[in-house]
Amino acid sequence: MACQTHGLTFDVYVVGKENAPGVVVLQEWWGVDYEVKNHAIHISQIGDGYRALIPDLYRGKVALEVAEAQHLMEGLDWQGAIKDIQASVKWLKENGSPKVGVTGYCMGGALAIASGVLVPEVDAVVAFYGTPSSELADASKAQAPIQAHFGELDSFVGFADVTAAKSLEEKLKASGVEHEVHIYPGCSHAFMNASPEALKRRKGMGLTDENQGAIDLAWSRFSTWMGRFLGSA
């Protein structure tokens, strides 16, 4: 469906019951593909349910290869993406969701944290393996409570590795907002992606770890965090 709000028009994928708390779900560098939709469906079914919305930040483009995904991410208007996120949050609040959180993965994780700094309507953030550049958003100025998840073996240096996670934690401490930063032993980048297609794609990138226990723990922490700050339907 198309979202028309606050002067912006873009396609969105929406799942879950109306009037439930909302969660904006942000894509990886691949685009709005099967895996981010899997995450949105899962989120919509957590607890008493959420209304999950994925804004199409790439305007219809979906990458199949790493080089193509990197090209799309490098070409992204990050400030424009923040505007899309803000419009998505406002749309959910105007259409029955009393509170709205933001979550995201990889590129979307970085944008989720940035939204917790730059979008005052955001009530809570859960970010997976991504941190924003200092040019985009200074996490020490976060306004929303932020929970973040990283794999111990993540090799995306300065973006999602342990050093980036520790740096984020220091900035969040300085911000004064409630926060949690979790690092998962033995896990590499994109460890939440567990569908057969996603596992095949990860192996093609040299990411061979599979850890259902870490996935379950991360979803449990997600559920507790969003339940605490967004409430339930």
Side-chain angles (χ1 to χ4, degrees):
M1 63 176 281
C3 176
Q4 291 183 300
T5 182
H6 301 275
L8 294 172
T9 302
F10 49 93
D11 286 334
V12 296
Y13 175 85
V14 183
V15 62
K17 60 186 179 182
E18 293 184 18
N19 302 319
V23 178
V24 176
V25 184
L26 303 175
Q27 67 200 49
E28 296 180 290
W29 65 350
W30 306 106
V32 180
D33 67 351
Y34 57 86
E35 198 66 351
V36 73
K37 289 180 180 177
N38 288 340
H39 292 325
I41 291 167
H42 181 87
I43 289 165
S44 75
Q45 297 168 349
I46 289 174
D48 293 328
Y50 292 96
R51 195 175 195 196
L53 181 154
I54 308 171
D56 186 355
L57 303 179
Y58 284 169
R59 300 298 193 268
K61 296 184 176 124
V62 178
L64 299 177
E65 304 292 338
V66 168
E68 186 183 6
Q70 188 163 359
H71 176 73
L72 286 172
M73 185 173 80
E74 288 173 352
L76 179 70
D77 174 2
W78 291 76
Q79 296 293 343
I82 293 294
K83 290 179 182 176
D84 288 351
I85 296 163
Q86 184 170 34
S88 299
V89 172
K90 287 182 175 181
W91 186 89
L92 283 166
K93 289 195 171 187
E94 290 165 2
N95 287 274
S97 294
K99 290 189 175 182
V100 177
V102 179
T103 191
Y105 307 83
C106 177
M107 180 185 89
L111 284 165
I113 292 168
S115 77
V117 178
L118 301 171
V119 181
E121 296 86 359
V122 173
D123 295 303
V125 169
V126 178
F128 292 89
Y129 29 81
T131 58
S133 68
S134 56
E135 293 80 20
L136 177 63
D138 180 356
S140 69
K141 297 177 181 175
Q143 301 180 70
I146 294 175
Q147 182 187 75
H149 305 263
F150 298 90
E152 176 195 30
L153 305 180
D154 200 310
S155 59
F156 282 78
V157 176
F159 178 73
D161 63 341
V162 169
T163 301
K166 297 287 189 185
S167 174
L168 173 66
E169 189 167 28
E170 289 306 310
K171 289 175 183 176
L172 292 176
K173 282 179 185 173
S175 76
V177 298
E178 294 197 58
H179 65 276
E180 294 176 1
V181 176
H182 300 288
I183 297 172
Y184 296 78
C187 292
S188 53
H189 194 69
F191 67 87
M192 296 296 287
N193 295 351
S195 71
E197 300 92 341
L199 288 174
K200 182 179 178 182
R201 184 166 65 186
R202 290 184 80 239
K203 285 176 181 173
M205 296 174 66
L207 308 174
T208 58
D209 57 295
E210 294 180 41
N211 191 332
Q212 189 60 46
I215 292 171
D216 292 343
L217 179 57
W219 278 126
S220 173
R221 287 168 168 163
F222 175 103
S223 176
T224 300
W225 195 257
M226 290 302 197
R228 178 179 167 194
F229 292 107
L230 304 186
S232 57

